[in-house]
Amino acid sequence: MKQVLNSLVLAAALVATSFNVSAAGELDKLLDQVKKDRISEGQLNKKREKEFLAAKADKQALLSKAQKELKDEKARGDRLQKQYAQNENTLATKAAELKTAQGTLGEMFGVVRRAASNTIGSITASNISGQPGYGDRSALLAELAEAKKLPTTKELEDLWIALQTEMTESAKVSVFDAEVAQLAGGSVTKTVTRVGSFNLIAEDEYLIYNPTVNKIQPLGKAADGHYVSSANTLQKASAGEIVPFYVDPSRGGILRLNTQRATLSDRYHQGGTPGYVITVVLFLGLFIAAFSLYTTLTESRKMKAQLKDTNNPSEDNALGRILKIYQENQGSDVENLELKLDEGILRETPRIDRGINTIKILAAVAPLLGLLGTVIGMIETFQQITLFGTGDPKLMAGSISMALVTTAMGIIAALPLIFVHSIVAARAKSIIHVLDEQSAGIIAAHAEKEKA
């Protein structure tokens, strides 16, 4: 046991000795490495310090340069500020001298600007500008209206010439060829007659000048016939001839409003379906009235011829047929003869009165149809108010027009129907009166024969 312990102690001593020898070698290496690194780091720090000192010198130079530039700029700013103050004083002095030198010319400057501003609108929209050679007059006026300085003598003369040209051409009737825009698109060359600065006409129509597109164009709708007739007369007139002509002093404005006015045809179609039905009723009543009037006139003519020859009754008229009944019943007594004649008159009455009651009915129906159209129009008006409100009256104008037009159409249709009904009824009544008169005369003569 003791030997074992001694062996273990000896082994431990050997291991410790070996470890100490190895550790001492590693530490020497580490010491050498630290010495080498210190030398390298010292050299690197010296290099960095040298570079820093060199950069410091450069930065100092830049700083000095910047400070010098700042000082120069401040000095320059002071000089400019002094110069600006001197310039302001100089401008104020010169402005006062200019105002003194202008005197009343300043008022002329305002007058020229105002005159140019007032003239540019009228010249631009003038019909004279639609004539070739007169369309570029507004450029000078625009420059004068916006000028900030006194106009030159040439500019004043140009303004004078522009005003004088407009005045002179306004008193002339000129004929020239120009491009006229078409409503369907495109343009054609037409011979245009200009009446002063008021109207343009070509080929039986009035034209207007549109300054927005610098084109001559026709009215949206043809003018009334008597206006077009006067335009045609003017175009065909020879030089120096005086002819009547309708002049629109508003340069086409009144004509445009006039063409927008509804014509009788437009009013008629505003009546819609009730208006068409009223028209049918009117023409149907007039046709029946014409037929009845023809029948009664023909009957009256034949009866007048029959009155001249009562001994030879004819079957082609009512009186002849009544006389025929008398001839066939001459042997009867007065009472039977009277009954036979009354029967004959009653037989003739429906044929004579045929269609008269129909005319009366149609005359009464026409105003009722007009009232129906009024009710329909008001119903549509209230529907539109419900849907769109009352903000735009044009939405309700169509329905209101139908409501009013149908009432007028019903009354217009009823008036002639009532008139022709009274005429036809009077003619028929006169025929029946003649038959009654002749019948009474026949009965009286027959009664006298019986008494004799």
Side-chain angles (χ1 to χ4, degrees), residues 37 40 74 97 111 142 173 189 258 278 318 320 325 447:
D37 290 341
S40 300
K74 286 183 177 181
E97 293 176 357
V111 170
V173 177
T189 302
N258 187 58
I278 292 173
I325 293 174

Side-chain angles (χ1 to χ4, degrees), residues 353-394:
D353 289 340
R354 183 172 53 190
I356 295 178
N357 289 331
T358 304
I359 298 173
K360 184 189 295 185
I361 293 173
L362 294 177
V365 168
L368 295 178
L369 290 174
L371 181 61
L372 175 62
T374 301
V375 174
I376 294 175
M378 295 309 298
I379 291 174
E380 291 185 0
T381 300
F382 288 123
Q383 287 178 344
Q384 291 170 350
I385 292 174
T386 302
L387 294 175
F388 306 107
T390 59
D392 189 359
K394 291 183 180 180

Side-chain angles (χ1 to χ4, degrees), residues 9 98 104-105 115 122 158 172 177 228 305 332 345 429 436:
V9 171
L98 177 62
T104 57
L105 291 179
S122 59
D158 291 339
K172 292 182 180 180
D177 293 333
V228 175
S332 302
I345 292 174
K429 188 176 181 180
D436 289 337

Side-chain angles (χ1 to χ4, degrees), residues 204-206 219 221-231 246 255 258-264:
D204 301 338
E205 66 175 345
Y206 280 81
L219 295 172
K221 185 178 179 182
D224 294 340
H226 56 285
Y227 298 139
V228 175
S229 177
S230 69
Y246 289 96
L255 281 173
N258 187 58
T259 55
Q260 293 175 3
R261 186 178 57 186
T263 61
L264 289 177

Side-chain angles (χ1 to χ4, degrees), residues 71-108:
K71 183 179 180 181
D72 294 340
E73 291 297 327
K74 286 183 177 181
R76 180 173 175 271
D78 294 337
R79 290 195 306 272
L80 291 177
Q81 188 173 4
K82 291 179 181 180
Q83 185 65 37
Y84 177 79
Q86 293 176 359
N87 291 339
E88 286 291 324
N89 294 331
T90 303
L91 289 175
T93 303
K94 295 297 181 182
E97 293 176 357
L98 177 62
K99 187 175 181 180
T100 303
Q102 285 180 351
T104 57
L105 291 179
E107 297 180 3
M108 185 195 69

Side-chain angles (χ1 to χ4, degrees), residues 137-197:
R137 298 178 296 161
S138 60
L140 170 65
L141 298 176
E143 293 178 1
L144 290 177
E146 298 176 358
K148 302 298 183 182
K149 60 180 181 179
L150 284 174
T152 63
T153 303
K154 183 180 181 304
E155 291 174 339
L156 292 176
E157 291 176 349
D158 291 339
L159 175 61
W160 174 24
I161 292 174
L163 295 174
Q164 186 65 42
T165 301
E166 183 73 12
M167 184 186 305
T168 303
E169 293 297 326
S170 297
K172 292 182 180 180
V173 177
S174 301
V175 180
F176 57 91
D177 293 333
E179 292 288 330
V180 178
Q182 301 297 299
L183 296 177
S187 60
V188 295
T189 302
K190 292 185 178 181
T191 300
V192 180
T193 301
R194 175 178 59 80
V195 182
S197 61

